[in-house]
Amino acid sequence: NIERIDLVCEVNNTDHHTLQNSADRLIVRRGLPFTITLHLRPGTHFQNGDNINFIAQTGPIPSVEAQTKAKFSLSRFISRSSWSATAEMSDSTVSLTVCSHPNAPIGVYKLILDQGEAIGLGEFVLLFNPWCKQDPVYLASEAEREEYVLSQDGLIYRGIPNRITVLPWTFGQFEPGILDICLQILDESPNYISDAALDCSERRNPVYVTRVLSAMINSLGDKGVLVGNWSDDYEDGVKPTVWKDSCSILRQWSNDGCRAVRYGQCWVFAAVACTVSRALGIPCRVVTNYGSARDSNGDLVMERFYNEFDENIADDSIWNFHVWVENWMTRPDLSLGYEGWQASDPTPQHRSEGVFCCGPVPVRAIKEGELTFKYDVPFVYAEVNADVVEYIKLRDGRVFKMGGSTTEVGKSISTKAVGRDEREDITHNYKYPEGSEEERRVYEKANHHNKLAQAGEEPGLHIKIKVTPDMQIGSDFDVYAELKNNTMVTKSCRVMFYAQAVSYNGKLGETCGLGNCLIVFYVSGGRVTLRLEYAEYSKAITQDRMIKLLALLIDAETRDFYRAKKTIILDDPEIIILGVPKVGQNLVADLALQNPLPEPLENCVFTIHGANLTDGKPITHEVGTVGPKEFVTAKVQFTPKLPGQRKILIDFASDKLHNVETYENLVIYE
């Protein structure tokens, strides 16, 4: 009985800071209510009850589990932490207020009234919301929201540090059709094409969306927006320096069937990324780094080789300037303190997890040299803080070191100031003052972490239990606690290493080995040995012959604990079987076993059994007492009944050794 639906676009879009997009289409932000009006047919009565339900869904495969589909009913109050709705009746109209979850996936939504029969109430676009405290992109300052979300133009810095030039740029994120193109970029990504349901679900996370955009702004490996070109040959496209706005690039890409636009360089890639980020609601700014290193081998050192003509012949290079973007968001995937500005670089110069993208990298992680954080911290760290070593390579192959610098890379890192057409120097966000103790400390830490990463190791203290292959019951043997100090300082630690009998069900028994020592070690680490003697463990182990090893490493200074554990099973002595089987003929199994213990075994018995081999019952053979380390042999006779492959099972038992078992596959011939 709904006659007409009014999405009240102008009012809602004004409230949601999207009116610049359009007054004819509902565009709202997460976690903020919007109101639509339902005009009912004359004589219709609206009754607020349990039968008034709603569905909001996005993507081609909406799912409640994937959070791309939400079901909710009318309530008395709007909730800011979940999908919710309230309604007010006035004459023949219903004023319906809806609020989305502050972490709902962004995208185009359908709103459906469900009263047993689904009625479409309309479509709306849901964006990230820097005005909502529950949204990971929340930005507290209104002036910064005005600059980094709503401003459609800005300044990009190029040149060299002592002659910085300014390029005015029109981002135009609210221009007609641009929002749809930005959403189209997400839909053309390999992530969406390979798994649309998962991709749409992940769009609730600005870290994920930023990473997709970093890959999709360049065209390498996907249907991205821009082709990079640094060759000075631009005849089949547009010279990068000609572009002055993002919209013409985005429209050309969309109108040409998502064919990459020719050509871009770093500032063009960054400017387009800024447009798309702001359009989707992620605060973004363009950043320029002067003396930007491109570390080809990941060692944080720029090795520049020159020939006699001063031509750089190395893979490592230092760009006069390089431009990327920063996006503002929290990082729940990292430890606290690394929220805020995240560097992201859409220029295709680095493969990250196999894809040409870079970031988002917490800017603070770069400053603190936390190279173990994701994503791509070592690459961006090198861009702003690598050391430089220069060599000259002569025609005869001789190489001479000419000098180097610890201050050449990463200068005058710049972005447009908030609310002013002035340059803001943000170098201090990326690094401590050049030459300071803090800057050198961070470099050494980053270099240390980088070497660990290349070796596949983690920083910090580590302990691991190692065992030998010879752990047969009855023998004495060693187990080891291997210690590794992947910090940069000498460590004084206490190590507790002990062994305890354990049953197959996890029940612990008596202790059968104990070590306790204080060890001081530097970067290399050390080893602690624990001797397990039969005289001790034989009193504790059960018939399962299992021993649990536990090693504790305690940092004497920080009191941090590190633990390693391993359960071992002592090897059985080996039973040897000899014989050639035939149907109906007696077969003698020659059995042999060595007593592995340093003491005699009493009441020793061999038992054999097998289907169609031992006439349906086990055959036993008593061998009495076996002395320490002695061999015992037995001949057990049986008669195979049927041909084919059979399995004969052999068991040895005594007063001190139980459940010593083995088997042999026998082929019985006619």
Side-chain angles (χ1 to χ4, degrees):
N1 291 315
I2 299 174
E3 185 175 70
R4 182 168 58 88
I5 300 168
D6 184 359
L7 298 180
V8 201
C9 296
E10 186 166 352
V11 173
N12 286 320
N13 291 4
T14 300
D15 292 342
H16 287 250
H17 308 279
T18 60
L19 187 61
Q20 293 183 81
N21 282 105
S22 172
D24 302 323
R25 183 184 188 189
L26 184 57
I27 303 170
V28 296
R29 298 186 186 274
R30 308 194 299 185
L32 186 65
F34 60 92
T35 300
I36 66 176
T37 303
L38 309 182
H39 295 270
L40 307 182
R41 292 192 177 93
T44 301
H45 297 285
F46 171 77
Q47 185 174 357
N48 190 342
D50 294 337
N51 65 328
I52 306 291
N53 299 299
F54 299 94
I55 297 171
Q57 62 187 39
T58 186
I61 313 170
S63 162
V64 173
E65 293 74 22
Q67 300 181 42
T68 49
K69 182 177 184 179
K71 296 180 178 180
F72 52 102
S73 56
L74 285 175
S75 54
R76 294 181 61 193
F77 303 102
I78 285 291
S79 169
R80 296 296 184 102
S81 59
S82 64
W83 285 91
S84 59
T86 63
E88 291 184 9
M89 180 73 181
S90 175
D91 297 329
S92 60
T93 63
V94 178
S95 183
L96 182 67
T97 300
V98 178
C99 188
S100 67
H101 192 292
N103 277 307
I106 64 163
V108 179
Y109 276 78
K110 292 179 180 178
L111 182 62
I112 299 167
L113 173 63
D114 182 14
Q115 291 181 287
E117 179 183 348
I119 302 171
L121 299 181
E123 282 191 352
F124 62 92
V125 179
L126 188 66
L127 304 177
F128 291 109
N129 190 357
W131 286 263
C132 174
K133 290 183 179 180
Q134 287 75 38
D135 195 309
V137 302
Y138 172 68
L139 192 56
S141 165
E142 179 59 35
E144 290 183 344
R145 291 193 293 251
E146 191 73 35
E147 180 70 46
Y148 300 136
V149 183
L150 300 180
S151 178
Q152 295 198 78
D153 50 52
L155 303 177
I156 299 174
Y157 297 97
R158 299 185 298 174
I160 56 177
N162 58 4
R163 187 174 173 77
I164 293 174
T165 61
V166 179
L167 172 67
W169 193 274
T170 301
F171 298 116
Q173 66 269 28
F174 298 118
E175 288 291 299
I178 294 301
L179 177 57
D180 286 320
I181 297 173
C182 295
L183 294 170
Q184 183 184 8
I185 290 172
L186 299 181
D187 288 347
E188 292 294 337
S189 75
N191 299 34
Y192 180 87
I193 293 167
S194 63
D195 191 339
L198 177 62
D199 176 71
C200 288
S201 175
E202 292 287 357
R203 292 181 190 182
R204 63 186 183 275
N205 182 0
V207 176
Y208 175 84
V209 172
T210 297
R211 195 155 170 78
V212 170
L213 294 181
S214 175
M216 284 298 296
I217 299 304
N218 72 75
S219 64
L220 284 182
D222 51 41
K223 297 175 71 175
V225 175
L226 273 164
V227 180
N229 187 343
W230 290 265
S231 70
D232 292 329
D233 180 7
Y234 310 109
E235 284 188 8
D236 57 344
V238 176
K239 193 175 182 180
T241 52
V242 170
W243 302 112
K244 298 296 184 288
D245 73 295
S246 302
C247 296
S248 54
I249 295 170
L250 291 168
R251 289 194 179 108
Q252 182 177 327
W253 174 79
S254 180
N255 293 338
D256 285 355
C258 306
R259 189 174 63 184
V261 177
R262 299 171 185 269
Y263 289 104
Q265 291 183 1
C266 64
W267 69 91
V268 187
F269 287 110
V272 174
C274 183
T275 295
V276 180
S277 297
R278 291 183 183 182
L280 298 178
I282 303 174
C284 186
R285 65 186 185 184
V286 178
V287 171
T288 303
N289 174 42
Y290 291 93
S292 190
R294 187 177 184 275
D295 185 12
S296 61
N297 59 5
D299 62 358
L300 307 186
V301 176
M302 304 303 298
E303 294 178 311
R304 295 202 289 193
F305 288 83
Y306 297 89
N307 59 21
E308 292 102 320
F309 303 103
D310 204 38
E311 294 171 335
N312 188 356
I313 55 175
D315 292 329
D316 286 350
S317 60
I318 299 177
W319 295 12
N320 286 326
F321 68 89
H322 182 50
V323 185
W324 58 73
V325 294
E326 291 177 359
N327 300 92
W328 180 274
M329 65 192 72
T330 59
R331 288 301 297 267
D333 56 327
L334 302 177
S335 52
L336 284 175
Y338 293 91
E339 61 281 349
W341 289 117
Q342 314 286 317
S344 176
D345 191 352
T347 299
Q349 56 174 342
H350 167 74
R351 281 189 186 271
S352 175
E353 299 177 346
V355 178
F356 278 101
C357 67
C358 181
V361 177
V363 172
R364 187 185 166 213
I366 299 165
K367 182 172 183 175
E368 298 299 335
E370 294 290 353
L371 267 61
T372 59
F373 284 9
K374 52 186 183 183
Y375 297 92
D376 310 304
V377 179
F379 185 80
V380 183
Y381 178 89
E383 288 185 303
V384 301
N385 217 2
D387 282 355
V388 178
V389 180
E390 295 184 337
Y391 302 89
I392 186 168
K393 187 173 184 179
L394 304 180
R395 275 176 289 186
D396 60 8
R398 288 183 297 161
V399 176
F400 296 94
K401 185 177 178 180
M402 295 190 296
S405 171
T406 61
T407 62
E408 182 178 345
V409 169
K411 293 182 176 181
S412 304
I413 303 175
S414 305
T415 191
K416 179 186 176 299
V418 174
R420 309 189 317 275
D421 287 342
E422 295 177 12
R423 185 181 72 89
E424 180 182 355
D425 193 306
I426 56 172
T427 309
H428 61 279
N429 290 349
Y430 282 84
K431 58 201 296 189
Y432 289 98
E434 289 287 7
S436 66
E437 289 185 12
E438 294 95 336
E439 188 267 339
R440 284 293 91 190
R441 173 186 58 81
V442 168
Y443 181 83
E444 292 301 325
K445 172 179 156 185
N447 198 31
H448 177 66
H449 283 185
N450 195 48
K451 289 177 180 177
L452 290 176
Q454 292 183 347
E457 298 182 14
E458 295 288 330
L461 292 175
H462 301 276
I463 185 167
K464 190 174 185 178
I465 295 174
K466 295 277 190 177
V467 297
T468 62
D470 183 21
M471 296 187 297
Q472 189 178 76
I473 188 167
S475 64
D476 299 341
F477 57 92
D478 292 330
V479 292
Y480 308 96
E482 290 199 341
L483 317 173
K484 202 136 196 184
N485 178 15
N486 285 346
T487 71
M488 298 173 63
V489 295
T490 302
K491 286 288 184 180
S492 175
C493 299
R494 180 163 295 281
V495 180
M496 298 174 63
F497 193 12
Y498 60 91
Q500 197 169 4
V502 63
S503 300
Y504 81 95
N505 61 2
K507 184 178 179 181
L508 293 173
E510 296 179 19
T511 299
C512 52
L514 180 64
N516 194 338
C517 64
L518 184 68
I519 186 168
V520 178
F521 57 105
Y522 190 51
V523 177
S524 58
R527 171 184 274 196
V528 175
T529 303
L530 180 64
R531 184 77 170 169
L532 294 183
E533 299 178 346
Y534 173 74
E536 292 297 323
Y537 70 71
S538 63
K539 304 171 189 175
I541 61 172
T542 68
Q543 61 182 8
D544 301 316
R545 296 190 292 281
M546 294 182 179
I547 297 175
K548 182 176 182 180
L549 306 174
L550 182 66
L552 290 175
L553 176 65
I554 307 164
D555 189 322
E557 180 183 357
T558 66
R559 308 302 298 170
D560 288 335
F561 279 70
Y562 306 86
R563 181 178 68 169
K565 55 184 178 179
K566 182 187 287 287
T567 298
I568 60 174
I569 301 178
L570 301 181
D571 295 332
D572 291 331
E574 184 180 6
I575 300 174
I576 304 168
I577 308 167
L578 304 169
V580 179
K582 279 191 176 183
V583 171
Q585 294 186 15
N586 289 342
L587 175 67
V588 176
D590 290 318
L591 309 177
L593 176 141
Q594 183 184 24
N595 174 9
L597 306 186
E599 54 187 329
L601 300 176
E602 306 288 345
N603 305 320
C604 300
V605 178
F606 282 106
T607 302
I608 69 169
H609 60 96
N612 301 123
L613 295 175
T614 59
D615 210 16
K617 58 183 183 293
I619 300 173
T620 61
H621 185 90
E622 297 181 5
V623 292
T625 301
V626 181
K629 305 296 182 180
E630 283 186 359
F631 274 93
V632 59
T633 61
K635 293 182 181 295
V636 182
Q637 182 174 293
F638 60 96
T639 307
K641 303 297 184 185
L642 294 173
Q645 183 165 308
R646 300 285 181 265
K647 199 179 249 77
I648 186 166
L649 309 179
I650 301 97
D651 179 83
F652 176 85
S654 67
D655 63 334
K656 300 182 183 67
L657 278 182
H658 308 275
N659 304 326
V660 179
E661 299 162 334
T662 189
Y663 68 90
E664 187 79 23
N665 288 317
L666 303 178
V667 178
I668 311 299
Y669 299 98
E670 289 283 1

